[in-house]
Amino acid sequence: MQPPRRLRTALVLGGGGARGAYEAGVLSYLRGELKEELGRHVDLDILTGTSVGAINACFAAGTAAIPDQQGTGLVQRWQSLRVEHVLRIGPGDLFRAARDLFRRTPVLTDRPAGGIVDPLGLQELVRNQIPWREVSRNIRSRKVQALSVSATRVATGHTTVFIQRFERDAPPWSRDPHYHATAARIGPFHALASAAIPLLFPAVPVAGELYVDGGLRQNVPISPALRLGADRVIVVSLRHRPVAATLLPPGQDLQPPVHHAPPATPPARRKARKTHEAAPTGPFLLGKTLDALLLDRVDEDLSRLRRFNALLEAGTNAYGPSFEGVLNGALVPLRNSPMRYVRNLLVHPSEDLGRLAADYCRSAEFRKRASGLVGAFLRRTVESEARDKADLASYLLFDGGFADILVDLGRRDARARREQWIRFFSDEPECAAEAAQLERR
């Protein structure tokens, strides 16, 4: 008899520009404190990422053979960043962006148009900081089962999921025509395409097609992880939610936040606030535009997954262990993939990253670290946004000082879920539906 197949665990990393340092904090917890708690390293078999999450996922795939160095290595790379090295914005870049906006007929050049930031700094970062040769080597040796990177194809607006796995082809995929998977040997251009935030970075060519940020349609790529065979998914989102909403037991649906009536505003301040709200600034609107473009739909995706889990559990309790097989016999021809019980754990910021960005940009430390044009631009941007938060700056602050703050927050938020992690990686089944799946293995 063959031994049962080991449960596959997926790490799902969302997009959000410089906010991605938070993901490094979560990974460092998994490879450090959680390893000490469990007495072993946990296997991260499937890695899926979008935008900056794609860059972090590629790094994790390239370092899968050295888990002891994986978390600290990613943190160190984020801490080494200087915003003026990554964001290169000069008068020529602003003139070029304006020229591209009003040019009647685009001119083909070696440098794609469409962004105000010179992409050279980000290109150097992605090419030099990720051990790309090790990505393929680790997949061939099955240190990693699969890696996926999501990007948006400019010509159609559809999502393309680039997949590299041991089997070398893409598994059966969604019948949705707006959502396509293709096998690829993932390299720097795939990661750069996934991270090309519209308006800021130019589109990136891959295999003769232009791509931009995958977060426009799939900011937290849970679906690729499931279609690649994950039995457990760790989801790291970069959107703030209250602490109470982040600590729900895995079996419960996420509930929408309850909105309480705001306290009454004194008459003397009411007029000033209305004036501020009536005349939002350019940076404020751009920050909100990026929030809308990179909309995080993780609540809906996880809620759907948990409803599937509840359906399988109820059916197994009512009809026995054969329920899943009967159900999938009818469903697989319609949806190309079977339903199965999937453990899930969500981690995301317990503090508003826009507020943290505003505080950091106003600090003396940032003034020392970024005294040039880019630093002045970001400080001016913060003053033009809301008084208590800076959404646009939080996407652009590729700086070690800001990364330190987010790494620490990521570790703390992951640590707050200690009991959930232990249950998540337990060999004991969570419910009857999962027990039936394990029995069939």
Side-chain angles (χ1 to χ4, degrees):
M1 293 182 61
Q2 296 217 354
R5 180 174 69 81
R6 181 174 54 81
L7 293 178
R8 291 182 175 181
T9 301
L11 179 63
V12 179
L13 301 176
R19 301 178 181 201
Y22 179 88
E23 297 170 343
V26 175
L27 184 61
S28 71
Y29 171 82
L30 292 177
R31 291 311 190 201
E33 294 178 45
L34 184 62
K35 177 208 168 187
E36 299 301 323
E37 289 276 359
L38 299 177
R40 60 183 173 87
H41 273 301
V42 297
D43 294 307
L44 301 176
D45 307 289
I46 298 167
L47 300 164
T48 70
T50 296
S51 191
V52 72
I55 296 174
N56 287 337
C58 290
F59 179 87
T63 55
I66 46 173
D68 282 318
Q69 303 173 37
Q70 199 174 49
T72 55
L74 186 58
V75 167
Q76 287 169 0
R77 280 157 177 77
W78 276 97
Q79 291 173 333
S80 69
L81 296 182
R82 298 296 292 261
V83 68
E84 292 177 328
H85 296 163
V86 180
L87 293 184
R88 302 182 182 183
I89 305 174
D93 297 300
L94 299 176
F95 172 77
R96 175 182 48 78
R99 181 195 61 193
D100 292 338
L101 179 65
F102 293 105
R103 175 179 286 158
R104 181 174 299 175
T105 304
V107 176
L108 294 178
T109 64
D110 292 336
R111 176 177 171 179
I116 64 173
V117 177
D118 184 339
L120 185 59
L122 186 61
Q123 289 174 3
E124 291 175 351
L125 173 69
V126 170
R127 286 172 175 163
N128 298 333
Q129 298 296 330
I130 295 175
W132 289 105
R133 290 185 179 179
E134 298 302 314
V135 172
S136 294
R137 186 172 299 171
N138 288 336
I139 290 175
R140 286 196 302 270
S141 64
R142 299 220 175 193
K143 297 288 192 304
V144 175
Q145 301 291 331
L147 169 67
S148 84
V149 167
S150 300
T152 303
R153 186 180 173 190
V154 172
T156 62
H158 298 171
T159 297
T160 296
V161 183
F162 298 103
I163 293 171
Q164 185 173 354
R165 63 178 190 152
F166 179 82
E167 293 79 2
R168 298 192 178 185
D169 61 348
W173 214 252
S174 169
R175 297 181 185 274
D176 184 348
H178 303 101
Y179 183 46
H180 174 67
T182 183
R185 181 174 180 176
I186 293 176
F189 283 102
H190 298 93
L192 288 166
S194 183
I197 300 175
L199 307 178
L200 298 178
F201 292 97
V204 177
V206 177
E209 295 284 349
L210 288 177
Y211 290 89
V212 293
D213 200 302
L216 297 183
R217 295 183 64 92
Q218 190 182 77
N219 199 38
V220 183
I222 298 175
S223 177
L226 299 178
R227 292 186 178 276
L228 288 167
D231 302 293
R232 300 183 286 206
V233 291
I234 302 166
V235 182
V236 185
S237 167
L238 299 177
R239 183 159 66 91
H240 163 65
R241 292 169 181 80
V243 175
T246 68
L247 297 178
L248 286 172
Q252 295 184 13
D253 281 347
L254 294 174
Q255 300 295 329
V258 177
H259 297 286
H260 300 285
T265 305
R269 296 175 55 193
R270 196 175 299 144
K271 182 178 179 180
R273 192 172 73 174
K274 285 183 178 179
T275 301
H276 174 74
E277 291 174 351
T281 63
F284 176 85
L285 288 175
L286 184 53
K288 294 304 179 186
T289 298
L290 288 177
D291 283 342
L293 287 175
L294 305 179
L295 181 64
D296 181 340
R297 297 181 177 86
V298 69
D299 287 353
E300 293 85 348
D301 292 343
L302 279 180
S303 182
R304 186 182 305 111
L305 171 60
R306 290 170 180 177
R307 285 196 298 271
F308 285 166
N309 283 351
L311 172 65
L312 290 171
E313 174 66 1
T316 302
N317 286 331
Y319 301 105
S322 63
F323 173 77
E324 181 185 329
V326 174
L327 181 66
N328 282 322
L331 288 180
V332 168
L334 301 176
R335 61 192 305 267
N336 270 349
S337 63
M339 285 178 59
R340 64 188 182 280
Y341 187 90
V342 179
R343 294 191 195 187
N344 53 91
L345 196 156
L346 172 65
V347 185
H348 53 76
S350 58
E351 297 187 37
D352 192 307
L353 302 190
R355 181 185 61 79
L356 296 178
D359 292 343
Y360 178 69
C361 277
R362 294 188 177 104
S363 69
E365 179 187 357
F366 181 64
R367 187 172 292 276
K368 291 178 182 177
R369 291 178 61 89
S371 57
L373 178 61
V374 172
F377 167 76
L378 286 171
R379 285 189 291 273
R380 179 58 183 160
T381 295
V382 168
E383 296 306 321
S384 300
E385 294 198 65
R387 184 179 301 276
D388 60 341
K389 66 188 303 183
D391 290 324
L392 176 58
S394 70
Y395 289 102
L396 301 178
L397 266 172
F398 290 94
D399 188 79
F402 186 54
D404 270 337
I405 296 170
L406 298 192
V407 165
D408 179 66
L409 180 62
R411 285 199 192 105
R412 285 191 281 117
D413 288 343
R415 188 181 302 123
R417 291 160 179 76
R418 175 183 175 277
E419 298 303 323
Q420 291 187 35
W421 290 116
I422 293 174
R423 182 172 62 248
F424 183 84
F425 285 108
S426 169
D427 293 330
E428 295 298 319
E430 284 191 338
C431 62
E434 189 180 34
Q437 283 181 184
L438 295 174
E439 185 68 24
R440 285 192 294 276
R441 297 178 194 280

